Amino acid sequence: MEKINSLQNAHVKAWKKLQTKKGRKQQGQYLLDGWHLVNEAVKAHVAIQTLLITAKQLATEPDLTHFPAVIEISDEVAKHISATVTPQGVFALATLPAAIEDLSQLDLTRPWLLLDNVQDPGNIGTMVRTADAAGFAGVAFGTGTVDIHQPKVERAMQGSQFHLQLISTDLDKLVDQLQAQGSPVYGSELNPQAARYLDIDAPASFGLIMGNEGNGMSRELLARTDQNLYIPIKGQAESLNVAVAAGVLMFGLYR
Amino acid sequence: MEKINSLQNAHVKAWKKLQTKKGRKQQGQYLLDGWHLVNEAVKAHVAIQTLLITAKQLATEPDLTHFPAVIEISDEVAKHISATVTPQGVFALATLPAAIEDLSQLDLTRPWLLLDNVQDPGNIGTMVRTADAAGFAGVAFGTGTVDIHQPKVERAMQGSQFHLQLISTDLDKLVDQLQAQGSPVYGSELNPQAARYLDIDAPASFGLIMGNEGNGMSRELLARTDQNLYIPIKGQAESLNVAVAAGVLMFGLYR
């Protein structure tokens, strides 16, 4: 088995660059960090090129038959290429999927969650997990939203990234596609024209847009929605966490 | 105005200890970190003893009339006593409220959220904010749950801690109190006896228990619930984030 111990190694430098969008695009790969994600990826038949593993993890005698190549790395290398402070010591190099350009390929028979300029990887991961649990068909990462394959986003999705369709797209195009087939698109911005979410009888297919943590949805996108929804606030809280609001709306609309 | 610059100062050592439950109890105080929390506390008439503020914050000429005492601190002291990496440079020393021993003093005309051994300050803060927004009367921090006045919990509550009643208690006692007045107590553990939350017609007053992130509710408490509820999972996600599940249940039960 090949062993790599030095931070000066050219492979290590390349793996480190997978933390950036530019690096992932140039190398056509992304990094999955930790056994849970790696195992979920294997189950989902994700194309994994190489497993990187520390001696300590090798000592647990894991089943390595799923991986075309395995490289042993030092603890120092593991720490260097991970986005977490205390990595488990196992990583998969997965092939970056081709971007879906033709949105008519998407499953639009069930709802979609649209993320408009959402910034926090934890919130994004939680929303993807919740969309998975609520039976949504997919999640669209709009321009300005953190990248799907950013390591912290990948970790926060906890495997749900392999259960539904995830796309990066100009959200305008997906709104076009949904509305063209008669599926309504709902916004989530508190304004005088908004309807109480419980009063909506949503069809089997719709789009739900969640906006930026501080500033909400973009004006342009809001203007294109069929209906804007609000969650009635009874207490004195100024707002809900965006992932909690998304959960209440997803489960409330799609029962 | 008194100025304190040294980490060796006895006051600074005492403030640092407010990060621990023992330190808060011994000194009868807790720390509120950042303008947002301090201003919310002032609005809510929380008993603040002293404001600690850096020169940089003083230069913005804030209104200091609300504070019985003001001490200028160095950036170094601010960093030392804060639980965050980049503190704003303003803290309030607030009086630790007396523990509520007599639960009959609580407002039990509206719902209560009960936290059974919940560990993550972010999750706890988000649940308190959501309970506030959903119009709950209060949140009970059970034995094993992180302390109400832990600095990270205080920050994550974002001011909602001043909008509803928060108590630390043996949850058994609150279950007694609720059930004695005929209010049902709902669990949130997936098991064969669980009812779908949407099928429940909850009264104006009830208790909802959320359990530990990994292990769920304690057996003993689960046995005492009137009904155990589940959120139907349609996709392949293994579970929901505890704060999202709490949001779906709170808004679903109390409309």
Side-chain angles (χ1 to χ4, degrees):
Chain A
M1 189 181 300
E2 191 181 350
K3 288 187 194 181
I4 295 182
N5 298 318
S6 165
L7 300 188
Q8 301 312 317
N9 183 287
H11 287 300
V12 175
K13 288 181 179 177
W15 298 335
K16 174 80 179 173
K17 286 185 184 149
L18 296 178
Q19 288 189 15
T20 69
K21 190 169 181 175
K22 192 178 151 198
R24 292 189 291 272
K25 207 170 169 184
Q26 281 175 346
Q27 299 176 48
Q29 291 188 323
Y30 68 103
L31 206 62
L32 295 165
D33 188 337
W35 276 123
H36 179 68
L37 272 190
V38 171
N39 289 335
E40 287 281 326
V42 167
K43 260 198 268 176
H45 306 291
V46 168
I48 293 174
Q49 298 170 6
T50 308
L51 189 81
L52 311 177
I53 187 164
T54 59
K56 198 175 147 197
Q57 285 295 335
L58 272 175
T60 65
E61 301 186 1
D63 176 9
L64 299 176
T65 54
H66 303 293
F67 309 106
V70 179
I71 298 176
E72 187 185 324
I73 56 172
S74 65
D75 290 346
E76 198 189 10
V77 169
K79 218 163 172 150
H80 184 66
I81 64 174
S82 176
T84 65
V85 183
T86 49
Q88 241 183 342
V90 63
F91 305 84
L93 293 168
T95 304
L96 201 64
I100 297 174
E101 301 289 350
D102 179 7
L103 299 190
S104 69
Q105 293 174 20
L106 301 178
D107 172 11
L108 298 182
T109 62
R110 286 179 296 138
W112 274 76
L113 179 68
L114 284 67
L115 304 180
D116 179 23
N117 203 17
V118 182
Q119 292 306 314
D120 180 74
N123 284 338
I124 293 173
T126 303
M127 287 193 274
V128 170
R129 274 174 72 194
T130 309
D132 177 11
F136 275 44
V139 180
F141 288 55
T143 320
T145 292
V146 178
D147 184 54
I148 296 174
H149 299 292
Q150 207 246 47
K152 284 183 187 172
V153 173
E154 290 284 353
R155 270 183 70 88
M157 295 192 282
Q158 293 189 19
S160 282
Q161 61 264 60
F162 309 121
H163 302 160
L164 30 64
Q165 289 188 300
L166 300 185
I167 58 162
S168 288
T169 185
D170 180 346
L171 295 183
D172 257 327
K173 289 187 190 165
L174 183 54
V175 170
D176 285 342
Q177 199 75 29
L178 285 161
Q179 289 178 336
Q181 70 168 29
S183 299
V185 174
Y186 302 120
S188 56
E189 175 106 354
L190 200 60
N191 67 26
Q193 287 78 44
R196 209 171 68 114
Y197 79 104
L198 288 168
D199 296 335
I200 293 290
D201 196 11
S205 165
F206 61 85
L208 170 66
I209 308 176
M210 300 304 300
N212 176 266
E213 286 89 346
N215 304 317
M217 293 175 53
S218 74
R219 298 296 96 194
E220 298 74 24
L221 210 53
L222 185 61
R224 297 207 52 202
T225 57
D226 295 274
Q227 181 68 64
N228 190 31
L229 307 180
Y230 76 93
I231 299 169
I233 304 281
K234 290 186 187 174
Q236 300 168 65
E238 286 163 26
S239 64
L240 286 169
N241 167 281
V242 65
V244 171
V248 170
L249 291 173
M250 286 192 269
F251 278 96
L253 293 171
Y254 192 58
R255 290 174 219 170
Chain B
M1 188 181 299
E2 191 181 351
K3 288 187 193 179
I4 296 182
N5 297 317
S6 165
L7 301 188
Q8 301 314 317
N9 181 287
H11 287 299
V12 175
K13 289 182 180 175
W15 299 334
K16 174 82 179 175
K17 286 184 186 151
L18 296 178
Q19 288 189 15
T20 67
K21 190 169 182 175
K22 191 178 154 202
R24 292 190 291 274
K25 207 170 170 187
Q26 281 175 344
Q27 298 176 49
Q29 291 189 321
Y30 67 104
L31 206 63
L32 294 165
D33 187 340
W35 276 121
H36 179 68
L37 273 189
V38 172
N39 289 334
E40 287 282 326
V42 167
K43 260 198 271 175
H45 306 289
V46 168
I48 293 175
Q49 298 172 4
T50 307
L51 190 80
L52 311 177
I53 187 164
T54 59
K56 199 174 148 196
Q57 286 295 336
L58 271 175
T60 66
E61 300 186 2
D63 177 7
L64 300 176
T65 54
H66 303 294
F67 309 106
V70 179
I71 298 176
E72 188 184 321
I73 57 172
S74 64
D75 291 346
E76 199 190 8
V77 169
K79 222 167 166 144
H80 185 66
I81 64 174
S82 176
T84 66
V85 182
T86 50
Q88 243 183 341
V90 63
F91 305 83
L93 293 169
T95 306
L96 201 65
I100 297 174
E101 301 287 350
D102 178 8
L103 298 190
S104 69
Q105 293 174 21
L106 301 177
D107 171 12
L108 298 181
T109 63
R110 287 178 295 137
W112 274 77
L113 179 68
L114 284 66
L115 304 180
D116 178 23
N117 203 16
V118 182
Q119 292 305 315
D120 181 72
N123 284 338
I124 293 171
T126 302
M127 286 192 275
V128 170
R129 276 174 71 194
T130 309
D132 177 11
F136 275 44
V139 180
F141 288 56
T143 320
T145 292
V146 179
D147 184 53
I148 296 175
H149 299 293
Q150 208 247 46
K152 284 183 187 173
V153 173
E154 290 282 353
R155 271 183 71 88
M157 294 192 282
Q158 293 189 19
S160 282
Q161 62 265 61
F162 309 121
H163 302 160
L164 30 64
Q165 288 187 301
L166 300 184
I167 58 163
S168 288
T169 184
D170 180 346
L171 295 182
D172 258 327
K173 290 186 190 165
L174 184 53
V175 171
D176 284 343
Q177 199 74 28
L178 285 162
Q179 289 178 336
Q181 69 168 30
S183 300
V185 175
Y186 302 120
S188 57
E189 173 106 355
L190 199 59
N191 68 23
Q193 287 77 43
R196 208 171 69 114
Y197 78 105
L198 288 168
D199 296 334
I200 294 291
D201 198 9
S205 166
F206 61 85
L208 170 67
I209 308 175
M210 301 303 302
N212 175 268
E213 286 90 344
N215 304 320
M217 293 174 53
S218 75
R219 298 297 92 195
E220 297 73 26
L221 211 52
L222 185 60
R224 297 210 49 202
T225 58
D226 295 276
Q227 180 68 64
N228 189 29
L229 307 180
Y230 76 92
I231 299 170
I233 304 282
K234 291 186 186 176
Q236 300 169 65
E238 285 162 28
S239 64
L240 287 169
N241 167 279
V242 66
V244 171
V248 171
L249 292 173
M250 285 192 268
F251 278 96
L253 294 171
Y254 192 59
R255 289 173 220 170

